[in-house]
Amino acid sequence: DAKTTQPPSMDCAEGRAANLPCNHSTISGNEYVYWYRQIHSQGPQYIIHGLKNNETNEMASLIITEDRKSSTLILPHATLRDTAVYYCIVRVITGTASKLTFGTGTRLQVTL
Amino acid sequence: DGGITQSPKYLFRKEGQNVTLSCEQNLNHDAMYWYRQDPGQGLRLIYYSQIVNDFQKGDIAEGYSVSREKKESFPLTVTSAQKNPTAFYLCASRAPGTASYEQYFGPGTRLTVT
């Protein structure tokens, strides 16, 4: 799987957009970008995934650059409950139960 | 409500004892996973199972064992051979098919071995 690089921590004011970057310069054409988040002492929660088009759901938007070497997760109106560690993962979707490799992620702190 | 349950939330054991962590899901998912998380670190895969009566080693399987006798259950045994068993253990499951790779995680079990 391609390696991802994320900043270790970020701050965001409540109500503002949180933009979390991820570099995945060695991504292959068939690898998807996934985002999960983990609130303290809980299990990770799936947020969104995409291949090359931008994606949006009720939680967030995912912007993938045209060359697919980086992406940005956008939380449009961050709240205190969005304080968590956010993981960017690159993975091939195959027919087998292959694994997700979680790095150390970005610790997002949302403040008043 | 459908979901994944792990019990207990906190578990304390003496060194040298085997301990079994429970993971149950009622999501009708075929694939199940066990991860370990150490403080300030990401998750590392211990074992996974694609189907009943089948499982494969992950990245750090040494000192652990699993069974998959039922679709709903995937218990993890931390044996006395595991050198550093104190950690946060997470179980996950995934729906069949390849349209998505969303994994659903349980709340975790925090194991402390002294």
Side-chain angles (χ1 to χ4, degrees):
Chain A
D1 297 333
K3 183 178 171 57
T4 62
T5 304
Q6 298 177 254
S9 64
M10 293 182 64
D11 292 330
C12 179
E14 189 176 33
R16 306 297 289 268
N19 298 288
L20 292 93
C22 180
N23 286 323
H24 30 80
S25 58
T26 60
I27 192 170
S28 301
N30 60 347
E31 289 183 306
Y32 286 69
V33 180
Y34 282 81
W35 284 84
Y36 282 74
R37 74 179 182 184
Q38 186 176 22
I39 295 169
H40 183 63
S41 293
Q42 297 182 22
Q45 176 190 24
Y46 165 84
I47 302 173
I48 200 168
H49 76 283
L51 182 62
K52 51 185 176 182
N53 297 324
N54 298 337
E55 303 287 346
T56 295
N57 62 20
E58 64 279 3
M59 289 183 68
S61 295
L62 174 60
I63 308 298
I64 303 174
T65 58
E66 193 169 339
D67 62 8
R68 302 209 324 122
K69 296 187 178 202
S70 65
S71 60
T72 301
L73 178 75
I74 300 172
L75 308 178
H77 305 286
T79 71
L80 296 177
R81 286 175 292 183
D82 291 321
T83 292
V85 177
Y86 288 77
Y87 298 99
C88 170
I89 300 162
V90 171
R91 191 67 187 100
V92 174
I93 294 181
T94 70
T96 61
S98 45
K99 59 189 181 184
L100 293 172
T101 302
F102 289 77
T104 52
T106 295
R107 184 173 299 278
L108 176 68
Q109 180 69 52
V110 181
T111 57
L112 291 172
Chain B
D1 284 332
I4 300 178
T5 57
Q6 292 184 244
S7 60
K9 189 168 178 62
Y10 298 95
L11 190 54
F12 298 88
R13 280 293 183 271
K14 293 290 188 185
E15 192 173 328
Q17 294 178 335
N18 291 355
V19 58
T20 297
L21 310 185
S22 167
C23 177
E24 303 280 331
Q25 54 99 359
N26 61 2
L27 300 167
N28 200 34
H29 287 174
D30 289 313
M32 296 186 74
Y33 307 79
W34 273 106
Y35 293 87
R36 169 188 171 130
Q37 187 173 35
D38 294 287
Q41 303 298 311
L43 282 66
R44 292 184 290 169
L45 183 67
I46 305 172
Y47 267 99
Y48 64 99
S49 168
Q50 301 180 59
I51 198 168
V52 174
N53 292 323
D54 182 67
F55 48 83
Q56 286 81 41
K57 292 181 179 181
D59 297 321
I60 55 165
E62 185 176 347
Y64 299 97
S65 65
V66 293
S67 63
R68 188 83 188 277
E69 297 176 2
K70 299 187 300 182
K71 188 175 187 177
E72 302 79 17
S73 179
F74 190 39
L76 172 75
T77 296
V78 184
T79 75
S80 56
Q82 168 49 235
K83 290 181 173 49
N84 297 296
T86 294
F88 187 44
Y89 290 89
L90 288 155
C91 178
S93 69
R94 179 175 73 89
T98 58
S100 173
Y101 203 75
E102 180 180 352
Q103 288 189 12
Y104 294 83
F105 284 83
T109 292
R110 193 167 297 279
L111 173 66
T112 301
V113 177
T114 58

